[in-house]
Coordinates of all heavy atoms in Angstrom, one line a residue:
N1 N 10.9 57.2 24.9 CA 9.8 57.0 25.8 C 9.8 55.7 26.6 O 8.9 55.5 27.3 CB 8.4 57.1 25.0 CG 8.2 55.8 24.1 OD1 9.0 54.9 24.1 ND2 7.2 55.9 23.3
G2 N 10.8 55.0 26.5 CA 11.0 53.7 27.3 C 10.4 52.6 26.6 O 10.5 51.4 27.1
N3 N 9.8 52.7 25.5 CA 9.2 51.5 24.7 C 10.0 51.2 23.6 O 9.9 51.9 22.5 CB 7.7 51.8 24.3 CG 7.1 50.7 23.7 OD1 7.6 49.8 23.2 ND2 5.7 50.8 23.5
P4 N 10.8 50.1 23.6 CA 11.7 49.8 22.5 C 10.9 49.4 21.2 O 11.4 49.6 20.1 CB 12.6 48.7 22.9 CG 12.1 48.3 24.3 CD 11.0 49.2 24.7
Q5 N 9.7 49.0 21.3 CA 9.0 48.5 20.1 C 8.3 49.8 19.4 O 8.0 49.7 18.2 CB 7.8 47.5 20.4 CG 8.4 46.1 20.6 CD 9.1 45.9 22.0 OE1 8.8 46.5 22.9 NE2 10.3 45.3 21.8
N6 N 8.0 50.8 20.2 CA 7.4 52.1 19.6 C 8.0 53.3 20.4 O 7.4 53.8 21.3 CB 5.9 52.0 19.8 CG 5.2 53.1 19.2 OD1 5.8 53.8 18.4 ND2 4.0 53.4 19.7
P7 N 9.2 53.6 20.0 CA 10.0 54.7 20.8 C 9.6 56.1 20.4 O 10.5 57.0 20.7 CB 11.4 54.3 20.4 CG 11.4 53.8 19.1 CD 10.1 53.1 19.0
Y8 N 8.5 56.3 19.9 CA 8.2 57.7 19.4 C 7.5 58.5 20.5 O 6.7 58.0 21.3 CB 7.3 57.6 18.2 CG 7.9 56.8 17.1 CD1 7.7 55.5 16.8 CD2 8.9 57.5 16.3 CE1 8.3 54.8 15.8 CE2 9.6 56.8 15.2 CZ 9.2 55.4 15.0 OH 9.9 54.8 14.0
C9 N 7.7 59.8 20.4 CA 7.0 60.8 21.3 C 6.3 61.7 20.4 O 6.7 62.0 19.2 CB 8.0 61.5 22.1 SG 9.1 60.5 23.2
H10 N 5.2 62.3 21.0 CA 4.4 63.3 20.2 C 4.8 64.8 20.6 O 4.5 65.2 21.7 CB 2.9 63.0 20.4 CG 2.1 63.9 19.6 ND1 2.0 63.8 18.2 CD2 1.3 65.0 19.9 CE1 1.1 64.6 17.8 NE2 0.8 65.4 18.7
G11 N 5.5 65.4 19.8 CA 5.9 66.8 20.0 C 6.9 66.9 21.1 O 7.4 66.0 21.7
I12 N 7.3 68.2 21.3 CA 8.3 68.5 22.4 C 7.7 68.1 23.8 O 8.5 67.8 24.6 CB 8.7 70.0 22.3 CG1 10.0 70.2 23.1 CG2 7.6 70.9 22.7 CD1 11.1 69.5 22.7
D13 N 6.4 68.2 23.9 CA 5.8 67.8 25.3 C 6.1 66.3 25.5 O 6.4 65.9 26.6 CB 4.4 68.2 25.4 CG 4.1 69.6 25.5 OD1 5.0 70.4 25.9 OD2 3.0 70.0 25.1
G14 N 6.0 65.5 24.5 CA 6.2 64.1 24.6 C 7.7 63.8 24.9 O 8.0 62.9 25.6
V15 N 8.6 64.6 24.3 CA 10.0 64.4 24.5 C 10.3 64.8 26.0 O 11.1 64.1 26.7 CB 10.8 65.3 23.5 CG1 12.3 65.3 23.8 CG2 10.6 64.8 22.1
M16 N 9.8 65.9 26.4 CA 10.0 66.3 27.8 C 9.5 65.3 28.7 O 10.1 65.0 29.8 CB 9.5 67.7 28.0 CG 10.1 68.8 27.2 SD 12.0 68.9 27.4 CE 12.1 69.3 29.2
E17 N 8.3 64.8 28.5 CA 7.8 63.7 29.4 C 8.6 62.5 29.5 O 8.8 62.0 30.6 CB 6.3 63.4 28.9 CG 5.7 62.4 29.7 CD 4.3 61.9 29.2 OE1 3.7 62.8 28.5 OE2 3.9 60.8 29.3
A18 N 9.1 62.1 28.3 CA 10.0 60.9 28.3 C 11.3 61.2 29.1 O 11.8 60.3 29.7 CB 10.2 60.5 26.8
Y19 N 11.8 62.4 28.9 CA 13.0 62.7 29.6 C 12.8 62.7 31.1 O 13.6 62.1 31.9 CB 13.4 64.2 29.2 CG 14.5 64.8 30.0 CD1 15.9 64.3 30.0 CD2 14.2 65.8 30.9 CE1 16.8 64.9 30.8 CE2 15.2 66.4 31.7 CZ 16.6 65.9 31.6 OH 17.5 66.4 32.4
Y20 N 11.7 63.4 31.7 CA 11.5 63.4 33.0 C 11.2 62.0 33.6 O 11.6 61.6 34.7 CB 10.4 64.3 33.4 CG 10.8 65.8 33.2 CD1 10.1 66.6 32.4 CD2 11.9 66.3 33.9 CE1 10.4 68.0 32.2 CE2 12.2 67.7 33.7 CZ 11.5 68.5 32.9 OH 12.0 69.7 32.7
R21 N 10.5 61.1 32.8 CA 10.3 59.8 33.3 C 11.6 59.0 33.3 O 11.8 58.2 34.2 CB 9.3 59.1 32.3 CG 8.7 57.8 32.8 CD 7.7 57.2 31.9 NE 6.8 58.1 31.2 CZ 6.7 58.2 29.9 NH1 7.4 57.4 29.1 NH2 5.9 59.0 29.3
S22 N 12.5 59.2 32.4 CA 13.7 58.5 32.3 C 14.6 58.9 33.5 O 15.3 58.0 34.1 CB 14.5 58.7 31.0 OG 15.0 60.0 30.9
L23 N 14.6 60.1 33.9 CA 15.3 60.5 35.1 C 15.0 59.7 36.4 O 15.9 59.6 37.2 CB 15.1 62.1 35.3 CG 15.8 63.0 34.3 CD1 15.4 64.4 34.7 CD2 17.3 62.8 34.2
K24 N 13.8 59.4 36.4 CA 13.3 58.6 37.7 C 13.7 57.1 37.6 O 13.7 56.5 38.6 CB 11.8 58.7 37.8 CG 11.3 60.2 38.0 CD 9.8 60.2 38.0 CE 9.4 61.7 38.2 NZ 7.9 61.7 38.0
S25 N 14.0 56.6 36.4 CA 14.2 55.2 36.3 C 15.6 54.8 35.9 O 16.0 53.7 36.0 CB 13.2 54.6 35.3 OG 13.5 55.2 34.0
V26 N 16.4 55.8 35.4 CA 17.8 55.4 34.9 C 18.7 55.3 36.1 O 18.7 56.1 37.0 CB 18.3 56.6 34.0 CG1 19.8 56.3 33.6 CG2 17.5 56.5 32.7
Q27 N 19.5 54.2 36.1 CA 20.5 54.0 37.1 C 21.8 53.9 36.3 O 22.0 53.1 35.4 CB 20.3 52.7 37.8 CG 21.3 52.4 38.9 CD 21.0 51.1 39.6 OE1 20.1 50.4 39.4 NE2 21.9 50.8 40.6
L28 N 22.7 54.8 36.6 CA 24.0 54.9 36.0 C 25.0 53.9 36.6 O 25.2 53.8 37.7 CB 24.6 56.3 36.1 CG 23.7 57.5 35.6 CD1 24.3 58.8 35.9 CD2 23.5 57.3 34.1
Y29 N 25.6 53.1 35.7 CA 26.6 52.1 36.0 C 27.3 51.8 34.8 O 26.9 52.0 33.7 CB 26.1 50.9 36.7 CG 25.1 50.1 35.9 CD1 25.4 49.0 35.2 CD2 23.6 50.5 36.0 CE1 24.5 48.3 34.4 CE2 22.8 49.7 35.2 CZ 23.2 48.7 34.5 OH 22.3 48.0 33.7
G30 N 28.4 51.1 34.9 CA 29.3 50.8 33.8 C 29.3 49.3 33.5 O 28.8 48.5 34.2
P31 N 29.9 48.9 32.4 CA 30.5 49.9 31.4 C 29.4 50.6 30.6 O 28.3 50.2 30.4 CB 31.3 49.0 30.5 CG 30.5 47.7 30.5 CD 30.0 47.6 31.9
T32 N 29.8 51.8 30.1 CA 28.9 52.6 29.3 C 29.3 52.6 27.9 O 30.3 53.2 27.5 CB 28.9 54.2 29.9 OG1 28.6 54.1 31.3 CG2 28.0 55.0 29.1
N33 N 28.5 52.0 27.1 CA 28.7 51.9 25.6 C 27.6 52.6 24.9 O 26.4 52.2 24.9 CB 28.8 50.5 25.2 CG 30.0 49.7 25.9 OD1 31.0 50.1 25.8 ND2 29.6 48.6 26.6
F34 N 28.0 53.8 24.3 CA 27.0 54.6 23.5 C 26.8 54.2 22.1 O 25.8 54.4 21.5 CB 27.3 56.0 23.7 CG 27.1 56.6 25.0 CD1 27.9 57.5 25.6 CD2 25.9 56.3 25.7 CE1 27.6 58.0 26.8 CE2 25.6 56.8 26.9 CZ 26.5 57.7 27.5
A35 N 27.8 53.7 21.4 CA 27.8 53.4 20.0 C 26.6 52.6 19.6 O 25.9 52.9 18.7 CB 29.1 52.8 19.5
P36 N 26.3 51.4 20.3 CA 25.1 50.7 20.0 C 23.8 51.5 20.0 O 22.9 51.3 19.2 CB 25.1 49.5 21.0 CG 26.5 49.4 21.4 CD 27.0 50.8 21.4
V37 N 23.6 52.4 21.0 CA 22.4 53.2 21.2 C 22.4 54.2 20.0 O 21.3 54.3 19.4 CB 22.4 53.9 22.5 CG1 21.3 54.8 22.7 CG2 22.5 52.9 23.6
I38 N 23.5 54.8 19.7 CA 23.5 55.8 18.7 C 23.1 55.1 17.3 O 22.3 55.6 16.6 CB 24.9 56.5 18.5 CG1 25.1 57.3 19.8 CG2 25.1 57.3 17.3 CD1 26.6 57.7 20.0
N39 N 23.7 54.0 17.0 CA 23.4 53.3 15.8 C 21.9 52.9 15.8 O 21.3 52.9 14.7 CB 24.4 52.1 15.6 CG 25.8 52.5 15.4 OD1 26.0 53.7 14.9 ND2 26.7 51.8 15.9
H40 N 21.4 52.4 16.9 CA 20.0 51.9 16.9 C 19.0 53.1 16.6 O 18.1 52.9 15.8 CB 19.7 51.4 18.3 CG 18.3 51.0 18.5 ND1 17.8 49.7 18.0 CD2 17.3 51.5 19.1 CE1 16.5 49.6 18.3 NE2 16.2 50.7 19.0
V41 N 19.2 54.3 17.2 CA 18.4 55.4 17.0 C 18.6 55.9 15.5 O 17.6 56.3 14.8 CB 18.7 56.6 17.9 CG1 18.0 57.8 17.5 CG2 18.4 56.1 19.3
A42 N 19.8 55.8 15.0 CA 20.1 56.2 13.6 C 19.3 55.3 12.6 O 18.8 55.8 11.5 CB 21.5 56.2 13.3
R43 N 19.1 54.1 12.9 CA 18.4 53.2 12.0 C 16.9 53.6 12.0 O 16.3 53.6 10.9 CB 18.5 51.7 12.5 CG 19.8 51.1 12.1 CD 19.8 49.6 12.3 NE 19.7 49.2 13.7 CZ 20.9 49.1 14.5 NH1 22.0 49.4 14.0 NH2 20.7 48.8 15.8
Y44 N 16.4 54.0 13.1 CA 15.0 54.5 13.1 C 14.9 55.7 12.3 O 14.0 55.9 11.5 CB 14.5 54.8 14.6 CG 13.9 53.7 15.2 CD1 14.5 52.9 16.0 CD2 12.5 53.4 15.0 CE1 14.0 51.7 16.7 CE2 11.9 52.3 15.6 CZ 12.6 51.5 16.5 OH 12.0 50.5 17.1
A45 N 15.8 56.7 12.5 CA 15.8 58.0 11.9 C 16.0 57.8 10.4 O 15.4 58.6 9.6 CB 16.9 58.9 12.5
S46 N 16.8 56.9 9.9 CA 17.1 56.8 8.5 C 15.9 56.2 7.7 O 15.8 56.4 6.5 CB 18.2 55.9 8.3 OG 17.9 54.5 8.6
S47 N 14.8 55.7 8.4 CA 13.6 55.2 7.8 C 12.7 56.3 7.3 O 11.8 56.1 6.5 CB 12.9 54.2 8.7 OG 12.3 54.9 9.8
V48 N 12.9 57.5 7.9 CA 12.1 58.6 7.5 C 12.8 59.5 6.5 O 13.8 60.2 6.8 CB 11.7 59.5 8.7 CG1 10.8 60.7 8.4 CG2 10.9 58.6 9.8
K49 N 12.4 59.5 5.3 CA 13.1 60.2 4.2 C 12.5 61.6 3.8 O 13.0 62.4 3.1 CB 13.1 59.4 2.9 CG 13.7 58.0 3.1 CD 15.2 58.0 3.3 CE 15.7 56.6 3.4 NZ 17.0 56.5 4.0
D50 N 11.2 61.8 4.3 CA 10.6 63.0 3.8 C 10.6 64.2 4.7 O 10.0 65.2 4.5 CB 9.1 62.7 3.5 CG 8.3 62.2 4.7 OD1 8.8 62.2 5.8 OD2 7.1 61.9 4.5
G51 N 11.3 64.0 5.8 CA 11.4 65.2 6.8 C 10.2 65.4 7.7 O 10.1 66.4 8.3
S52 N 9.3 64.5 7.7 CA 8.1 64.6 8.4 C 8.2 64.4 9.9 O 7.4 64.7 10.7 CB 7.0 63.7 7.9 OG 7.3 62.4 8.1
Q53 N 9.4 63.8 10.3 CA 9.6 63.6 11.7 C 11.1 64.0 12.0 O 11.9 64.1 11.1 CB 9.5 62.0 12.0 CG 8.1 61.5 11.7 CD 8.1 60.0 12.0 OE1 8.9 59.5 12.7 NE2 7.2 59.3 11.4
Y54 N 11.3 64.2 13.3 CA 12.7 64.5 13.7 C 12.9 63.5 14.9 O 12.1 63.0 15.5 CB 12.9 66.0 14.1 CG 12.0 66.4 15.2 CD1 12.5 66.4 16.5 CD2 10.7 67.0 15.0 CE1 11.8 66.8 17.6 CE2 10.0 67.4 16.1 CZ 10.5 67.4 17.4 OH 9.7 67.8 18.4
F55 N 14.2 63.3 15.1 CA 14.6 62.4 16.1 C 15.6 63.1 17.2 O 16.5 63.8 16.8 CB 15.3 61.2 15.5 CG 14.3 60.3 14.8 CD1 14.0 60.7 13.5 CD2 13.8 59.1 15.3 CE1 13.0 59.9 12.8 CE2 12.9 58.4 14.6 CZ 12.6 58.8 13.3
V56 N 15.3 62.8 18.4 CA 16.2 63.4 19.5 C 16.8 62.2 20.3 O 16.1 61.4 20.7 CB 15.3 64.3 20.4 CG1 16.2 64.8 21.6 CG2 14.7 65.4 19.7
L57 N 18.1 62.2 20.4 CA 18.7 61.2 21.2 C 19.4 61.9 22.3 O 20.3 62.7 22.2 CB 19.8 60.5 20.4 CG 20.7 59.6 21.2 CD1 20.0 58.5 21.9 CD2 21.8 59.0 20.3
L58 N 18.9 61.7 23.5 CA 19.5 62.4 24.7 C 20.4 61.3 25.4 O 19.9 60.2 25.7 CB 18.4 62.7 25.7 CG 18.8 63.2 27.0 CD1 19.5 64.6 26.9 CD2 17.5 63.5 27.9
I59 N 21.6 61.7 25.6 CA 22.6 60.9 26.3 C 22.9 61.4 27.7 O 23.3 62.5 27.8 CB 23.9 60.8 25.4 CG1 23.6 60.0 24.1 CG2 24.9 60.0 26.3 CD1 24.8 59.9 23.2
I60 N 22.6 60.6 28.6 CA 22.9 60.9 30.1 C 24.0 60.0 30.5 O 23.8 58.8 30.4 CB 21.6 60.8 31.0 CG1 20.5 61.6 30.4 CG2 22.0 61.1 32.4 CD1 19.2 61.5 31.1
T61 N 25.0 60.5 31.0 CA 26.1 59.8 31.4 C 26.7 60.3 32.8 O 26.5 61.3 33.2 CB 27.3 59.8 30.4 OG1 28.3 58.9 30.8 CG2 27.8 61.1 30.1
D62 N 27.5 59.3 33.4 CA 28.1 59.6 34.6 C 29.5 60.2 34.4 O 30.3 60.5 35.3 CB 28.2 58.5 35.6 CG 28.9 57.3 35.0 OD1 29.4 57.4 33.8 OD2 29.0 56.2 35.6
G63 N 29.9 60.4 33.1 CA 31.1 60.9 32.7 C 32.1 59.9 32.2 O 33.1 60.3 31.6
V64 N 31.9 58.7 32.3 CA 32.8 57.7 31.9 C 32.2 56.9 30.7 O 31.1 56.2 30.8 CB 33.1 56.6 33.0 CG1 34.1 55.6 32.5 CG2 33.7 57.3 34.2
I65 N 32.8 57.0 29.5 CA 32.3 56.3 28.3 C 33.3 55.3 27.9 O 34.5 55.5 27.7 CB 32.1 57.3 27.2 CG1 31.1 58.4 27.5 CG2 31.7 56.6 25.9 CD1 31.0 59.5 26.6
S66 N 32.9 54.0 28.0 CA 33.8 52.9 27.7 C 34.1 52.7 26.3 O 35.2 52.1 26.0 CB 33.1 51.6 28.3 OG 32.8 51.7 29.6
D67 N 33.4 53.2 25.3 CA 33.6 53.0 24.0 C 33.8 54.3 23.2 O 33.2 54.5 22.2 CB 32.5 52.1 23.3 CG 31.2 52.7 23.2 OD1 30.9 53.7 24.0 OD2 30.3 52.3 22.4
M68 N 34.6 55.1 23.7 CA 34.8 56.5 23.3 C 35.1 56.5 21.7 O 34.5 57.3 21.0 CB 35.8 57.3 24.0 CG 35.9 58.7 23.5 SD 34.4 59.6 23.7 CE 34.5 60.1 25.4
A69 N 36.1 55.7 21.2 CA 36.4 55.7 19.9 C 35.2 55.3 19.0 O 34.9 55.9 18.0 CB 37.6 54.8 19.6
Q70 N 34.5 54.2 19.4 CA 33.4 53.8 18.7 C 32.2 54.8 18.7 O 31.5 55.0 17.7 CB 32.9 52.4 19.1 CG 33.9 51.3 18.9 CD 34.8 51.1 20.1 OE1 35.0 52.0 21.0 NE2 35.5 50.0 20.2
T71 N 32.0 55.5 19.8 CA 31.0 56.5 19.9 C 31.3 57.7 19.0 O 30.4 58.1 18.3 CB 31.0 57.0 21.4 OG1 30.5 55.9 22.3 CG2 30.0 58.2 21.6
K72 N 32.5 58.1 19.0 CA 32.9 59.2 18.0 C 32.6 58.8 16.6 O 32.1 59.6 15.8 CB 34.3 59.6 18.2 CG 34.6 60.4 19.6 CD 36.1 60.6 19.7 CE 36.4 61.3 20.9 NZ 37.9 61.6 21.0
E73 N 33.0 57.6 16.3 CA 32.9 57.1 14.9 C 31.4 57.0 14.6 O 30.9 57.3 13.4 CB 33.5 55.7 14.8 CG 33.5 55.1 13.4 CD 34.2 53.8 13.2 OE1 35.0 53.5 14.1 OE2 33.8 53.0 12.4
S74 N 30.6 56.5 15.5 CA 29.1 56.4 15.3 C 28.5 57.8 15.0 O 27.7 58.0 14.2 CB 28.4 55.8 16.5 OG 28.8 54.5 16.5
I75 N 28.9 58.7 15.9 CA 28.3 60.1 15.7 C 28.6 60.7 14.3 O 27.8 61.3 13.6 CB 28.8 61.0 16.9 CG1 28.2 60.6 18.2 CG2 28.5 62.5 16.6 CD1 28.8 61.3 19.4
V76 N 29.9 60.5 14.0 CA 30.4 61.0 12.6 C 29.6 60.3 11.5 O 29.1 60.9 10.6 CB 31.9 60.9 12.5 CG1 32.3 61.1 11.0 CG2 32.6 61.7 13.4
N77 N 29.5 59.0 11.6 CA 28.8 58.2 10.6 C 27.3 58.5 10.3 O 26.8 58.5 9.3 CB 28.9 56.7 10.8 CG 30.4 56.2 10.6 OD1 31.2 56.9 9.9 ND2 30.7 55.1 11.2
V78 N 26.6 58.8 11.5 CA 25.2 59.0 11.4 C 24.8 60.5 11.3 O 23.6 60.7 10.9 CB 24.5 58.4 12.6 CG1 24.7 56.9 12.9 CG2 24.8 59.2 13.9
S79 N 25.8 61.3 11.4 CA 25.4 62.7 11.2 C 25.1 63.1 9.8 O 25.5 62.6 8.8 CB 26.5 63.6 11.8 OG 27.7 63.5 11.2

């Protein structure tokens, strides 16, 4: 939702609203490092143990990922 202190959205409508808002404000440039973002979101998700919440990480890229090996490792580790 753009708020790093409270990054939660309410329902799918909240997710879609955050997505559309981000499309207007995101500027693609490099280097593109996804591993830190994936790990950050995974830390939030790991705090919910009872299945009462779900987490969506949407990655928008211009096609060039600077930390591909670390990104793959992060995806495997957090899945």
Side-chain angles (χ1 to χ4, degrees):
N1 70 5
N3 181 347
Q5 283 72 42
N6 184 18
Y8 300 99
C9 299
H10 184 72
I12 193 66
D13 289 334
V15 172
M16 295 304 295
E17 179 183 331
Y19 169 71
Y20 288 124
R21 191 176 325 119
S22 71
L23 288 178
K24 297 175 185 174
S25 63
V26 170
Q27 181 178 359
L28 301 176
Y29 60 93
T32 302
N33 296 306
F34 285 140
V37 176
I38 293 166
N39 293 328
H40 179 76
V41 173
R43 280 190 294 276
Y44 271 97
S46 68
S47 68
V48 178
K49 304 289 186 198
D50 63 1
S52 63
Q53 298 178 24
Y54 62 93
F55 292 80
V56 176
L57 172 60
L58 172 65
I59 296 176
I60 302 172
T61 181
D62 59 1
V64 178
I65 300 173
S66 303
D67 67 340
M68 183 61 81
Q70 295 90 342
T71 295
K72 289 178 181 179
E73 183 178 338
S74 292
I75 291 169
V76 169
N77 289 339
V78 304
S79 63

